[in-house]
Amino acid sequence: VTQIVSLLNPHCVDFPATVHRDGVLAFLRAMTRDFTIDSCTDAARFCESLQVGVAVRTYCPETCGCYLPNATLGLVDPKFGCSWGCFKHPARQALLSIVTCPMEDP
């Protein structure tokens, strides 16, 4: 799973260019059993689901907040759907550059 997620979405973006949008939508609809899903925003309510969420986080990592350093997901391994690319996401880097560490080095 880790390698597949990183191959499918290496840059941690919603609906990556490496996949066909209609195919992803069909896959997300089938996985969530919600056939009204037409965007990552529609699928967002499944982001924190452990099982169905893997599919949603793989194709909608920005919507799911995979790049956020303080994400409630706590899923730091691609086998949970958020690719390694999320650690290099520009928005993550920007957030980390303005936040001070709450603890001092010993």
Side-chain angles (χ1 to χ4, degrees):
V1 172
T2 298
Q3 291 175 332
I4 293 170
V5 169
S6 293
L7 285 172
L8 290 174
N9 201 344
H11 302 294
C12 191
V13 294
D14 288 356
F15 289 112
T18 56
V19 298
H20 189 268
R21 182 181 173 88
D22 290 338
V24 169
L25 286 173
F27 177 69
L28 292 177
R29 290 171 185 150
M31 291 298 295
T32 61
R33 297 174 195 234
D34 180 346
F35 297 95
T36 65
I37 290 176
D38 198 39
S39 67
C40 284
T41 301
D42 294 341
R45 63 192 173 104
F46 298 101
C47 287
E48 295 195 26
S49 168
L50 277 180
Q51 296 187 358
V52 174
V54 172
V56 177
R57 290 185 295 272
T58 297
Y59 294 110
C60 302
E62 290 175 304
T63 296
C64 290
C66 288
Y67 65 90
L68 295 171
N70 62 341
T72 58
L73 296 171
L75 306 172
V76 295
D77 189 302
K79 69 181 174 190
F80 296 113
C82 296
S83 79
W84 290 124
C86 295
F87 286 96
K88 297 177 185 174
H89 194 283
R92 179 185 180 87
Q93 300 307 315
L95 287 168
L96 290 174
S97 72
I98 60 171
V99 176
T100 57
C101 184
M103 296 174 53
E104 292 184 29
D105 290 335

